[in-house]
């Protein structure tokens, strides 16, 4: 089973931050300095260490956007076809949708 890229990348970022925090705690940092330094160190480190996860996430987002764009274009085409048929007085929208297999309006 594949882990979703969002989960993988987020877990990696959190894990890296916790790992840095543990190391800083062992060195002697406490309170807000620990939190701030953990964030400051883990952010640029994740840029290099989590490159694969980030690329997988970006690919997944691009695929989703392309799929949604294609679905939207198909819906727009179908709507245009229905409106043109209605304007031409050929039939009603419900009949056109039933003919195309869409069922109800």
């Amino acid at each position: 089973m594949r882990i979703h890229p969002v989960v993988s990348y987020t877990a990696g970022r959190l894990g890296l931050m916790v790992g840095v925090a543990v190391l800083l705690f062992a060195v002697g940092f406490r309170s807000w300095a620990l939190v701030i330094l953990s964030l400051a160190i883990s952010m640029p480190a994740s840029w290099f260490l989590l490159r694969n996860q980030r690329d997988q996430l970006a690919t997944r987002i691009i695929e989703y956007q392309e799929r949604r764009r294609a679905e939207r274009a198909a819906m727009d085409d179908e709507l245009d076809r229905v409106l043109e048929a209605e304007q031409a007085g050929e039939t009603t929208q419900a009949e056109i949708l039933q003919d195309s297999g869409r069922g109800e309006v």
Side-chain angles (χ1 to χ4, degrees):
M1 184 172 127
R2 262 184 78 163
I3 297 175
H4 196 282
V6 171
V7 174
S8 173
Y9 185 66
T10 302
R13 297 250 347 227
L14 288 172
L16 186 59
M17 190 189 94
V18 168
V20 170
V22 167
L23 288 174
L24 291 174
F25 186 82
V27 172
F29 285 93
R30 303 290 188 267
S31 109
W32 288 105
L34 174 71
V35 175
I36 292 170
L37 280 174
S38 295
L39 287 171
I41 293 170
S42 66
M43 278 192 239
S46 69
W47 180 258
F48 298 104
L49 298 175
L50 300 176
R51 181 178 310 246
N52 288 338
Q53 290 85 351
R54 189 176 59 254
D55 290 343
Q56 289 172 359
L57 179 60
T59 301
R60 183 78 173 246
I61 291 170
I62 290 169
E63 289 170 353
Y64 174 78
Q65 288 175 337
E66 289 173 353
R67 186 175 66 244
R68 291 290 297 149
R69 199 171 289 127
E71 290 171 356
R72 176 175 277 161
M75 288 175 59
D76 286 345
D77 291 343
E78 184 173 344
L79 180 60
D80 289 342
R81 186 177 60 77
V82 169
L83 292 175
E84 287 172 3
E86 270 189 346
Q87 288 173 355
E90 294 175 5
T91 185
T92 66
Q93 182 180 12
E95 291 170 342
I96 294 169
L97 289 175
Q98 285 178 345
D99 290 342
S100 68
R102 291 291 302 251
E104 296 181 21
V105 177

